[in-house]
Amino acid sequence: MAFRQRTSPAAFPSSVVLGNRWPVLALQAAFLVSFVTCNDAPPVPDDQLHIEKRWVPDTCQRHVTEGDFVRYHYHGTFPDGTKFDSSYDRGSTYNVFVGKGQIIAGMDKALLGMCVNERRFVKIPPTLAYGSKGVADVIPPDAILHFDVLLLDIWNPTDTVQVETYYKPENCTRQVEVSDFIRYHYNGSLMDGTLFDSSHNRMRTYDTYVGIGWLIPGMDKGLLGMCVGEKRMITVPPFLGYGEDGDGKDIPSQASLVFDVVLLDLHNPKDGITVESHYVPEDCERKTQVGDFIRYHYNGSLLDGTFFDSSYSRKRTYDTYIGKGYVIAGMDEGLLGLCTGEKKRVIIPPHLGYGEEGKGKIPGSAVLVFDIHVIDFHNPQDSVGIVSLFKPSNCSVLSKKGDYVKYHYNATLMDGTVLDSTHQYGKTYNIVLGSGQVVMGMDIGLQDMCIGEKRSIVIPPHLGYGEAGVEGEVPGSAVLAFDIELLDLIPGLPDGYMFVWNGEVSPNLFEDIDKDKNGEVVLDEFSEYIDTQVKVGKGKLAPGFDANKIIENMFTNQDRNQDGKITEEEFKLKDQEDKEIHDEL
């Protein structure tokens, strides 16, 4: 053991023979001079041990007692100042048990009560040193010895790991247990404050399993029971640290170690995700399932609160399918069973996150914390959701394709964000059902309504504005919610017709249109005739469209050779047509 390393006269019992212990010591001529000087010194009483405390730390948590093991530096001189030995010259401390007779009696006594980093000047009389015999060629007989001592370390074989928590979070839901994997920062120093290592200097946490032998035994014990965010001072005696061998040039033999630790992360390989509910809407008719497409906001952080990402900062939701592997496995699981508007915290262990490698700002083996807010979700198989809020008792005439309808609406996203409202313009929105004048979902939602009816309509994006949305107004892949009220309905024409006759058609229709009787009908003649028939109620144009454009289109369809006039040979009624659909007579 290192205790046998008796390279200092201060360590020798008075009976030790110098020649057996100092085979490599080269004495200098100065020592010979010092012998004479020491021999001329006045005798010192046997009990005259003089201790001068030259510096004592403000805080002294522990004092040397008998049985302690100490590490200290010293300079040894004779009263005239001549040096006979120094641990500094050897580049290593002197390590010894106190009160066990392993060093001269005066030093055994002088070390008692010392604190780490305390400095003492000690005068030891020969009766407590090497007596009348001295040490051949090194310490003359009856020599008074002076020692300038600096104590660097104290420990005792009965010591255990000492833990001092100087900060602990109020909320500590989980503590480190054996087999947990943790990420922590530390500063490692010796008892005298000498820094030997720091994860902060490397700008990277120390990541390890606890309690399975990956760490020195003292650190394995000292980390148990910690919370994320907790800060501890862990003092490890050498027999639970690096022992007699030390570790490289930075940790000497038999050194106590002091670790200033802050725990940043904690998980176990058996962990699943943890979900904490922060807000659930009272009305939740539907929850997310595998295959749904979801839009949500999130803030992403590490367990210690370090922020790494946010959809809010990008001012755009994160949009993805659930359960299809488009997101990390933990998020795929955490997004299941949620309601629109729900807020949850999802804690994801690294094996369900970004693993040992990490990604970007996310370090390897990091636990992830996501605070999410579900904005909306839908399934590609969804149709329009329709809920009737009010229906008049007399509801016999129902809207259908081709009808001209007038209605009010309030449009929002599923989280309540207002998109638009006809009420703010003070007029209704008017369309022809089924004509493509609105998104397909609204066309469907307005079907089979009666005047005065009120509905709530939910339109999935594939029947709304799709993945693109409307720039600056409707986000991509957004589910739309409309509250609508049908105020008026003008029945449309049969499918495929833009004009119909009310009653019998004149058998001489072409001649009636051809006012100048030249056998040709031009646009002016055609338009004048149709306008007249509509005004007197004999004909009807499809409501909701530009009448002039309908008539022009009817004329163009009758003008088969597109020469700007219709002949009797070209002119045909609808029932004379083939199965092609035309906007004509």
Side-chain angles (χ1 to χ4, degrees):
M1 295 180 67
F3 312 148
R4 298 176 181 173
Q5 173 190 315
R6 301 186 184 278
T7 57
S8 164
F12 301 157
S14 58
S15 61
V16 172
V17 178
L18 181 64
N20 294 337
R21 296 289 185 174
W22 289 61
V24 295
L25 183 63
L27 299 179
Q28 298 179 349
F31 281 102
L32 298 177
V33 175
S34 69
F35 299 160
V36 176
T37 304
C38 290
N39 287 331
D40 292 340
V44 178
D46 290 350
D47 58 350
Q48 189 177 338
L49 173 66
H50 178 78
I51 298 174
E52 176 188 341
K53 296 183 179 181
R54 293 198 169 175
W55 192 82
V56 180
D58 293 335
T59 301
C60 183
Q61 296 181 344
R62 180 172 184 172
H63 299 82
V64 177
T65 60
E66 287 191 4
D68 285 344
F69 189 93
V70 297
R71 295 172 49 248
Y72 62 94
H73 268 308
Y74 69 89
H75 285 299
T77 62
F78 296 117
D80 67 347
T82 302
K83 181 173 66 174
F84 61 81
D85 191 22
S86 174
S87 62
Y88 295 97
D89 293 345
R90 294 189 297 277
S92 64
T93 57
Y94 193 77
N95 308 335
V96 69
F97 280 101
V98 177
K100 300 290 188 178
Q102 295 180 354
I103 49 179
I104 57 177
M107 187 61 77
D108 246 350
K109 293 182 179 182
L111 291 171
L112 292 174
M114 286 192 77
C115 306
V116 169
N117 284 327
E118 183 177 344
R119 184 182 174 192
R120 289 184 177 184
F121 184 73
V122 183
K123 297 179 182 179
I124 303 177
T127 54
L128 298 177
Y130 297 100
S132 58
K133 293 183 178 180
V135 178
D137 300 328
V138 180
I139 306 294
D142 296 319
I144 298 173
L145 307 180
H146 291 183
F147 289 94
D148 190 345
V149 179
L150 177 63
L151 188 67
L152 301 182
D153 199 345
I154 313 171
W155 58 270
N156 193 283
T158 62
D159 285 349
T160 58
V161 175
Q162 300 298 311
V163 174
E164 178 191 349
T165 295
Y166 62 93
Y167 173 76
K168 190 168 188 175
E170 292 183 5
N171 184 22
C172 180
T173 58
R174 180 173 182 176
Q175 297 177 325
V176 176
E177 298 178 1
V178 171
S179 81
D180 283 344
F181 190 93
I182 63 173
R183 297 172 49 247
Y184 64 96
H185 269 306
Y186 70 90
N187 287 319
S189 62
L190 305 179
M191 287 286 281
D192 65 338
T194 301
L195 183 73
F196 62 79
D197 193 17
S198 174
S199 62
H200 297 281
N201 292 345
R202 294 191 296 273
M203 301 180 69
R204 182 174 180 178
T205 56
Y206 194 82
D207 307 340
T208 183
Y209 284 98
V210 178
I212 64 172
W214 284 21
L215 297 166
I216 57 175
M219 187 59 83
D220 256 346
K221 293 181 179 180
L223 292 168
L224 292 174
M226 286 193 78
C227 307
V228 170
E230 183 175 345
K231 298 179 181 180
R232 283 185 177 182
M233 299 294 292
I234 301 174
T235 304
V236 180
F239 53 87
L240 295 176
Y242 293 99
E244 295 182 15
D245 296 330
D247 188 44
K249 64 178 182 179
D250 296 318
I251 300 178
S253 171
Q254 301 291 16
S256 300
L257 309 177
V258 180
F259 293 92
D260 189 347
V261 176
V262 55
L263 185 65
L264 301 184
D265 203 338
L266 159 67
H267 78 276
N268 193 282
K270 297 180 181 179
D271 286 349
I273 67 167
T274 301
V275 178
E276 301 173 3
S277 182
H278 290 176
Y279 171 73
V280 181
E282 292 182 6
D283 183 19
C284 181
E285 297 180 354
R286 176 178 176 181
K287 295 186 176 183
T288 53
Q289 299 177 351
V290 171
D292 285 345
F293 189 91
I294 187 171
R295 296 172 56 245
Y296 64 97
H297 271 304
Y298 70 87
N299 285 319
S301 63
L302 305 180
L303 265 184
D304 66 340
T306 301
F307 171 86
F308 63 79
D309 192 20
S310 174
S311 62
Y312 295 100
S313 64
R314 293 190 294 273
K315 297 182 179 180
R316 181 176 180 179
T317 56
Y318 192 83
D319 309 339
T320 186
Y321 284 98
I322 303 172
K324 300 291 186 179
Y326 291 169
V327 289
I328 56 177
M331 186 60 81
D332 249 348
E333 183 181 349
L335 291 172
L336 292 173
L338 302 181
C339 308
T340 294
E342 186 167 353
K343 297 179 181 180
K344 279 196 174 181
R345 170 168 286 186
V346 182
I347 302 174
I348 302 174
H351 51 275
L352 297 175
Y354 292 101
E356 296 181 4
E357 300 300 322
K359 183 178 182 180
K361 296 180 180 179
I362 300 173
S365 300
V367 177
L368 310 178
V369 180
F370 290 94
D371 288 316
I372 64 175
H373 178 201
V374 180
I375 303 302
D376 69 34
F377 65 91
H378 72 279
N379 193 283
Q381 305 301 317
D382 286 349
S383 59
V384 177
I386 299 174
V387 176
S388 182
L389 304 177
F390 172 76
K391 182 176 286 189
S393 56
N394 181 16
C395 188
S396 57
V397 178
L398 302 179
S399 59
K400 64 183 184 306
K401 183 179 180 180
D403 288 350
Y404 185 61
V405 296
K406 299 179 180 181
Y407 62 98
H408 270 306
Y409 70 82
N410 292 316
T412 66
L413 300 179
M414 293 299 287
D415 66 345
T417 301
V418 175
L419 297 176
D420 196 16
S421 174
T422 55
H423 297 283
Q424 67 181 341
Y425 307 119
K427 60 181 181 180
T428 59
Y429 198 77
N430 310 328
I431 65 163
V432 176
L433 276 180
S435 64
Q437 295 176 349
V438 289
V439 294
M440 186 181 298
M442 183 60 79
D443 256 341
I444 295 171
L446 288 166
Q447 298 275 355
D448 299 321
M449 287 189 76
C450 55
I451 294 175
E453 184 175 351
K454 297 179 181 180
R455 283 182 176 180
S456 175
I457 300 174
V458 178
I459 301 175
H462 51 275
L463 297 174
Y465 292 103
E467 294 182 8
V470 179
E471 186 174 358
E473 297 181 37
V474 181
S477 300
V479 178
L480 309 177
F482 288 89
D483 287 328
I484 61 175
E485 180 182 5
L486 186 62
L487 299 180
D488 196 6
L489 182 156
I490 301 174
L493 303 185
D495 193 20
Y497 287 81
M498 297 299 287
F499 175 85
V500 295
W501 294 101
N502 294 326
E504 295 294 327
V505 181
S506 170
N508 301 312
L509 184 57
F510 183 81
E511 288 81 1
D512 294 344
I513 299 174
D514 183 16
K515 291 186 66 175
D516 58 9
K517 309 303 179 184
N518 65 352
E520 298 175 344
V521 174
V522 296
L523 179 59
D524 288 344
E525 291 176 303
F526 188 85
S527 296
E528 182 181 349
Y529 183 81
I530 296 298
D531 279 340
T532 300
Q533 301 308 304
V534 171
K535 288 177 181 178
V536 300
K538 291 184 178 180
K540 181 179 180 181
L541 290 169
F545 297 99
D546 186 323
N548 291 329
K549 288 185 178 180
I550 293 177
I551 295 172
E552 289 176 9
N553 194 37
M554 292 167 61
F555 178 86
T556 300
N557 288 339
Q558 290 291 324
D559 181 13
R560 314 292 174 174
N561 61 6
Q562 303 297 305
D563 62 355
K565 52 185 178 291
I566 303 170
T567 63
E568 190 169 4
E569 289 76 20
E570 291 176 306
F571 189 78
K572 294 179 182 179
L573 294 177
K574 183 69 175 177
D575 57 5
Q576 297 171 325
E577 290 290 333
D578 57 19
K579 293 184 178 180
E580 295 180 83
I581 295 177
H582 296 288
D583 299 323
E584 76 249 283
L585 300 173

